Amino acid sequence: VAQRSREAMADQRSAVWTARVRDAKQVLNELRAGTSAASPQRTDQERARFFAMQRRKLQRFEDLIDDLEDLTADGDPTTAEREDRDAAVEAMRAEAKRLADGIKAAAAAAAAAAA
């Protein structure tokens, strides 16, 4: 009975990892889709709102990455699964940095074009 209870707890923790990965991928897709939507025809107010939304999504993505980092050992993963999880977190961190740099550059370019 105790063994089944431990297995059930491990399954639940593994499900949390899976749910967070799904959430992170969703936010990442929204960020990627939004980067092409920065139109120069927008008003200053629309551009400001757009970049504020992108920054909020980026913050959410980074928060999910932090959660995932905390969960890498949850669910009693094998050594290979743990390494895969660590690699996934590192890849997401690199993507978050790339997106943050892209958002900053696009915001600066939009501000320069508006000036």
Side-chain angles (χ1 to χ4, degrees):
V1 173
Q3 177 67 22
R4 264 190 248 143
S5 177
R6 279 193 295 275
E7 289 173 1
M9 293 282 291
D11 287 345
Q12 287 174 344
R13 289 190 306 263
S14 185
V16 170
W17 166 265
T18 303
R20 291 296 184 280
V21 168
R22 184 189 62 240
D23 294 345
K25 287 180 178 179
Q26 175 65 36
V27 174
L28 177 60
N29 287 337
E30 291 172 10
L31 278 163
R32 285 178 176 161
T35 55
S36 63
S39 169
Q41 290 81 21
R42 293 179 180 213
T43 66
D44 289 345
Q45 185 178 13
E46 290 171 331
R47 271 193 300 279
R49 189 174 313 133
F50 170 79
F51 287 116
M53 179 65 75
Q54 287 297 95
R55 285 190 293 273
R56 282 193 297 275
K57 287 179 184 180
L58 180 61
Q59 183 61 53
R60 174 71 177 135
F61 184 55
E62 290 170 340
D63 289 345
L64 287 165
I65 294 169
D66 290 341
D67 288 350
L68 287 168
E69 189 169 43
D70 294 341
L71 295 168
T72 54
D74 277 6
D76 198 28
T78 64
T79 301
E81 288 171 330
R82 175 74 187 259
E83 290 171 357
D84 289 347
R85 288 178 178 190
D86 288 337
V89 167
E90 287 307 311
M92 286 185 204
R93 284 217 186 277
E95 185 67 10
K97 182 177 179 347
R98 187 189 71 71
L99 286 166
D101 292 345
I103 290 169
K104 285 179 191 171

